Structure formats: structure tokens, C-alpha cells
């Protein structure tokens, strides 16, 4: 993995987020304040504008820079959370100095832990973490078992979709939807949807490689 791969993944993520505008927008309108799609789009566009600056960097430095850029561009609760994720993934990869699958899995896990710390949230609170935590756990397990990139990508798509679906019947205890009590039940979480869309985009790109 190098910054070229990261720029390709960022482009795939951006295209997928734009393609899911209607879903993401309506979910945050139902149980949030309706700005989540705009926040995601702004973040994706900010990364596009720094593609050339990322090109000469290592994967670790590029991810850290993406995090810093997101911190200064996406508003809302999700901006600092995604920023923490990318800065932490970058920092962790830099420390191991490899991008072997198992190190990427550990860095992904560290990124998810950074979101948990910053947002003071756990699994089961109807947030993006209900997608990210099971994806991180499965990624680490499969990488430790030495599974191939394609096997991992196929499995992570499924786990991300299951995590998203799990938010439907949860009460929200973090973020804006937490004021809604039982009224949030029956709705998917918007941040969980964005994460599912992004994970699918990256995994589809890996699956499409020869
Ligand atoms: P805001 O909530 O400020 O309007 P967004 O609409 O961009 O910001 O993001 C909302 C999403 O952020 C939620 O759908 C949820 O997934 C996620 N989120 C909110 N608070 C937290 C938190 N404390 N921990 C993890 N994720 C959170
Ligand atoms: Mg919102």
C-alpha cells in the first residue's frame, strides 16, 4: 500500500458516497439534523484537492495528512471522529513501518479505538462504531489467520452490512439521535451507513484487482 493506492481508494470512496446521497441524506434527516451527507461530501472533496500533495508521501504520512485535512474541513460530530481515525491509522502504520495485511488490520483497529476514545462511545450505541468495531475485529482475525486480500474483502463487506443493519433496532445513546429515545428505533444510523458505503467501496476495489 502506498499513497497512490490511497488516492485511488479515496476516489472510490468519494464516488460511492456521492452515489448514496439519497440514502445517507434521508437517514440523518430522519433521526439527526440532515447534514451528514453534506459533511461526508465536503470531506471527500477536501481529500480530492490534496491528492497531489499526498502523492509523494508514504501511506502512513498520507493517511495522517488526510486526518488533519478532515479535522479542518468536516464539521459536525463525525468530522473529528473520522479525523481521529485517519490520524491514528497513519501514526500506527508509521510506527510499524510496514503495510503488511496484519499491520494494516492492527492500524485499522487503532483507528477505531481512537474514534471510541474521542466520541466516548462503545458498540451498541447506534453509531458508526456498530459497523467499524465488528469490521476491525474480523479484519484482525482473518489477517492473523493469513487469509487472502480477496477473502478478507468479501468477509468485511458482509460484516459491514450486518453492522449497519444492527443499528436499526438500537436505541441511540450517543450523538443527536440520543434525544429521540424510542423514536429512533426502526431507523438505521446515518454514520453507520456512510461507513458501510466506504468499506464496500474499498473492498470492491480490492476485489476488482487482477
Ligand atoms: P452531527 O451529529 O453533528 O450532525 P453528522 O451528522 O456528520 O454530525 O454525523 C452523525 C453521525 O456521527 C451519527 O450518525 C453517528 O454515526 C456518528 N456519531 C455521533 N456521535 C458519535 C459518537 N460519540 N461516537 C461515534 N459516532 C458518533
Ligand atoms: Mg447530522
Amino acid at each position: 500500500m502506498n499513497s497512490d493506492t490511497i488516492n485511488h481508494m479515496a476516489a472510490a470512496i468519494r464516488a460511492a458516497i456521492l452515489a448514496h446521497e439519497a440514502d445517507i441524506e434521508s437517514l440523518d434527516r430522519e433521526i439527526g439534523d440532515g447534514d451528514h451527507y453534506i459533511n461526508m461530501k465536503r470531506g471527500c472533496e477536501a481529500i480530492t484537492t490534496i491528492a497531489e500533495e499526498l502523492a509523494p508521501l508514504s501511506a502512513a504520512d498520507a493517511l495522517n495528512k488526510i486526518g488533519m485535512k478532515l479535522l479542518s474541513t468536516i464539521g459536525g460530530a463525525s468530522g473529528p471522529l473520522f479525523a481521529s481515525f485517519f490520524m491514528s491509522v497513519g501514526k500506527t502504520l508509521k510506527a510499524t513501518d510496514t503495510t503488511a495485511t496484519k499491520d494494516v488490520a492492527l492500524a485499522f483497529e487503532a483507528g477505531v479505538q481512537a474514534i471510541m476514545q474521542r466520541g466516548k462511545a462503545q458498540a451498541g450505541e447506534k453509531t458508526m462504531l456498530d459497523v467499524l468495531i465488528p469490521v476491525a475485529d474480523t479484519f484482525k482475525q482473518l489477517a492473523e489467520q493469513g487469509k487472502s486480500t480477496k477473502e478478507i474483502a468479501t468477509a468485511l463487506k458482509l460484516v459491514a452490512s450486518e453492522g449497519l443493519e444492527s443499528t436499526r433496532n438500537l436505541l441511540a445513546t450517543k450523538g443527536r439521535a440520543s434525544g429521540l429515545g424510542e423514536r429512533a428505533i426502526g431507523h438505521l444510523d446515518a454514520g453507520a451507513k456512510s461507513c458501510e458505503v466506504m468499506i464496500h467501496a474499498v473492498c470492491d476495489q480490492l476485489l476488482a484487482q487482477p
Side-chain angles (χ1 to χ4, degrees), residues 29-209:
R29 202 154 10 84
E30 281 158 12
I31 57 167
D33 57 354
D35 64 346
H36 185 59
Y37 172 73
I38 303 284
N39 288 337
M40 294 305 296
K41 186 176 169 203
R42 188 176 298 142
C44 290
E45 271 155 16
I47 306 311
T48 310
T49 65
I50 59 166
E52 276 182 33
E53 282 171 63
L54 299 178
L57 303 181
S58 66
D61 288 342
L63 289 162
N64 191 45
K65 195 168 188 104
I66 286 175
M68 291 193 299
K69 185 73 182 173
L70 293 178
L71 194 57
S72 63
T73 43
I74 321 188
S78 61
L81 297 175
F82 285 123
S84 305
F85 173 84
F86 286 105
M87 289 191 283
S88 175
V89 173
K91 213 168 68 190
T92 310
L93 278 181
K94 201 171 171 91
T96 56
D97 201 28
T98 83
T99 52
T101 306
K102 75 174 191 358
D103 294 314
V104 177
L106 289 175
F108 187 92
E109 182 183 47
V112 174
Q113 282 167 353
I115 295 181
M116 294 172 77
Q117 267 163 23
R118 182 167 276 247
K120 300 184 176 53
Q122 308 285 329
E125 299 202 78
K126 203 179 182 92
T127 71
M128 56 174 79
L129 288 168
D130 293 312
V131 168
L132 297 173
I133 293 172
V135 166
D137 290 347
T138 305
F139 191 2
K140 197 169 99 171
Q141 274 169 23
L142 298 182
E144 276 167 3
Q145 292 166 15
K147 299 283 188 208
S148 71
T149 301
K150 288 198 198 266
E151 284 171 313
I152 295 176
T154 304
L156 295 188
K157 283 182 69 178
L158 198 67
V159 171
S161 295
E162 286 168 357
L164 168 63
E165 192 50 44
S166 80
T167 65
R168 190 183 298 280
N169 291 320
L170 289 172
L171 277 171
T173 45
K174 286 286 177 324
R176 284 176 204 279
S178 60
L180 295 177
E182 305 253 317
R183 273 187 295 146
I185 291 184
H187 298 277
L188 296 173
D189 174 65
K193 177 69 192 173
S194 300
C195 288
E196 187 233 24
V197 165
M198 294 190 284
I199 288 161
H200 277 228
V202 170
C203 290
D204 283 338
Q205 196 174 65
L206 295 169
L207 288 168
Q209 276 169 11

